[in-house]
Amino acid sequence: MLPLRTTGSPAGRPALRRCVSIPTERFAEEHWSQRPLLSTGGEFADLFGLDAVDDLLTRRGLRTPFIRLAKDGAVIDPSRYTGQAGAGAEIADQVVDERVMQLFVDGATIVLQALHRTWPPLVDFGQQLATDLGHPVQINAYVTPPQNQGFAAHYDVHDVFVLQVAGEKRWLIHEPVLEHPLRSQPWNARSDAVAARASEEPVIDTVLRPGDALYLPRGWLHSAQALGATSVHLTIGVHPVTRHALVDVLAALAADVPTLRESLPLGIDLDDPTALAPELTAVVDALAGWLHTADPSVVASRLRAAVRPQSRPEPVTPLAQAAAVAALDQQTVVRLRRHLHCAASDLPDGSVVLRLPDRTLTLPALTAPAVKTLLSGAPVRVGDLPGLDPGDRVVLVRRLLREAVCVPSSVVDALPRTDPGDAG
């Protein structure tokens, strides 16, 4: 039987180590989802910087909503900095660089959104960090002119890593007014409490300089102000999978309980708590009995289907991938696509099942040894896959390349060559 295995092991957690100055095990025990952590002495220039900002604003055809501007705590209408971009690019939501420059000079903060999709170093970094954490991430950049503040004190409904890449920024951190807020519990629904808490003495008052990092669990109030030069920091939003997500899954599965699908009595007065009381008791009793029978494997399957698509695996290069399919032979080296959540198991008849975030693949039983080799993640030459004859190896790998489960690998020299007689 093939052991269940999900790719993307967080061994070593290399991206997380760049965000915290303490051992990742200690971070998990003492800070994750509990309290802030200030780290110093890092290096983020390879990820992003001032030149990257100018490149995105001028040469990448950036469009909303991948950019927004804010000033004095308010978001600026996009029509003030977007428009058409000339012949062949008449769509009116494209960034007009000179308008962005004028607003920035006047004190507006530039927010570059979803950089985990648009800036190559952050695509790779974001994928690795999501793997390290086991939770989806997004990455934005905040570009603030000197002596300006982009947003007033607020809290986020996701955890945050702040990585300072240029300039300096003063951060004020206050304790939560609501612990562990969900996405349905944004700060502006508690604006009075937030304002009152922000007027108190901060628990952290610090200046972040290039290489410094700050971790904030969701719910912690924060505001920031650039100091003597343009400030650029990355905000990595971590969208945690919460216990409430399990409640959502259980609620969906509870639709299979007949008692819970029954209608309330005819003519019930929904304004009368005493009329609802026995119905509430019946629901609680039915749930209590059913919850003890909930199948963890079914819950896990539902949760996986909801969460996994939020994190993208390593990009596939369509032209190179298509060329690899066309030129495939026994000497082709392939590997598993990095950060692809792919769980393997077998059926009673021996068939191999690959569960991907958006679909399931079923493969013949004879492919099991080869699939297990590919799931190790190490580069492997097609001709070295065990348990198959040359023709079946090519058929299997061609399918996995077309399904974007595997990608061509440039790691060739470290592998011994197979017998040329095996070429097929």
Side-chain angles (χ1 to χ4, degrees):
M1 174 177 288
L2 272 177
L4 179 69
R5 184 183 188 280
T6 299
T7 67
S9 169
R13 294 186 169 89
L16 178 59
R17 288 203 309 269
R18 297 192 63 177
C19 299
V20 299
S21 58
I22 61 176
T24 56
E25 296 80 6
R26 181 181 164 194
F27 171 78
E29 294 174 0
E30 300 179 7
H31 292 273
W32 171 251
S33 197
Q34 300 175 61
R35 59 193 182 95
L37 174 67
L38 176 63
S39 300
T40 60
E43 175 57 60
F44 309 123
D46 60 313
L47 299 178
F48 204 66
L50 295 170
D51 290 342
V53 175
D54 278 341
D55 192 353
L56 283 163
L57 292 175
T58 59
R59 300 182 183 276
R60 300 295 178 119
L62 205 64
R63 301 169 60 186
T64 56
F66 287 93
I67 181 175
R68 60 187 172 123
L69 271 67
K71 184 179 180 182
D72 299 328
V75 175
I76 296 174
D77 188 327
S79 64
R80 295 182 58 189
Y81 55 86
T82 58
Q84 298 182 2
E90 289 85 1
I91 299 174
D93 65 350
Q94 298 174 78
V95 168
V96 180
D97 44 13
E98 62 266 31
R99 296 182 188 173
V100 172
M101 180 271 294
Q102 292 160 359
L103 289 167
F104 181 75
V105 169
D106 288 339
T109 288
I110 302 168
V111 184
L112 298 170
Q113 304 194 132
L115 292 174
H116 59 290
R117 294 286 291 127
T118 60
W119 190 249
L122 293 176
V123 172
D124 297 338
F125 183 76
Q127 289 166 349
Q128 184 60 55
L129 186 58
T131 296
D132 292 353
L133 297 170
H135 300 264
V137 306
Q138 69 175 70
I139 304 178
N140 297 345
Y142 290 77
V143 187
T144 308
Q147 309 299 330
N148 274 270
Q149 177 174 312
F151 295 92
H154 65 285
Y155 67 75
D156 293 321
V157 293
H158 49 260
D159 293 45
V160 166
F161 289 97
V162 176
L163 310 183
Q164 188 72 24
V165 298
E168 298 181 351
K169 208 161 196 180
R170 181 188 180 195
W171 285 79
L172 301 177
I173 311 300
H174 294 82
E175 291 186 349
V177 298
L178 177 68
E179 292 188 0
H180 313 305
L182 301 172
R183 294 187 187 183
S184 58
Q185 299 170 314
W187 76 271
N188 49 12
R190 295 168 174 78
S191 56
D192 290 343
V194 167
R197 180 60 52 84
S199 67
E200 299 173 2
E201 191 73 17
V203 294
I204 295 178
D205 183 347
T206 189
V207 174
L208 294 189
R209 299 176 174 85
D212 293 346
L214 178 65
Y215 166 71
L216 294 175
R218 56 197 163 106
W220 285 74
L221 274 61
H222 54 277
S223 62
Q225 181 180 36
L227 299 181
T230 296
S231 168
V232 180
H233 76 264
L234 298 172
T235 291
I236 303 172
V238 183
H239 296 263
V241 184
T242 67
R243 288 175 175 167
H244 194 272
L246 294 176
V247 174
D248 290 339
V249 171
L250 290 170
L253 293 174
D256 293 335
V257 181
T259 302
L260 297 176
R261 299 199 302 268
E262 293 179 3
S263 301
L264 297 181
L266 183 70
I268 188 171
D269 183 357
L270 298 179
D271 293 323
D272 183 1
T274 60
L276 284 177
E279 302 304 322
L280 180 59
T281 299
V283 168
V284 171
D285 290 344
L287 278 174
W290 172 78
L291 286 173
H292 289 293
T293 68
D295 186 344
S297 64
V298 175
V299 174
S301 178
R302 291 286 190 100
L303 189 61
R304 183 170 57 246
V307 174
R308 291 308 188 202
Q310 297 181 43
S311 296
R312 292 183 59 83
E314 173 187 13
V316 168
T317 50
L319 300 186
Q321 192 87 351
V325 171
L328 187 66
D329 62 21
Q330 300 297 310
Q331 299 303 327
T332 302
V333 179
V334 298
R335 60 169 172 78
L336 192 67
R337 189 178 174 190
R338 295 190 184 101
H339 311 297
L340 177 68
H341 294 283
C342 176
S345 59
D346 56 8
L347 297 176
D349 65 0
S351 299
V352 178
V353 176
L354 290 182
R355 292 199 304 274
L356 304 172
D358 58 346
R359 65 197 187 282
T360 297
L361 305 181
T362 303
L363 304 170
L366 57 84
T367 66
V371 169
K372 184 176 181 180
T373 298
L374 289 166
L375 287 185
S376 73
V380 60
R381 188 174 283 109
V382 172
D384 294 335
L385 289 172
L388 298 172
D389 63 35
D392 288 337
R393 292 173 189 148
V394 170
V395 170
L396 171 65
V397 174
R398 179 174 289 125
R399 182 178 182 190
L400 295 182
L401 286 171
R402 291 177 65 90
E403 296 281 0
V405 173
C406 290
V407 296
S409 175
S410 60
V411 180
V412 178
D413 296 338
L415 298 177
R417 294 189 66 81
T418 55
D419 186 340
D422 283 345

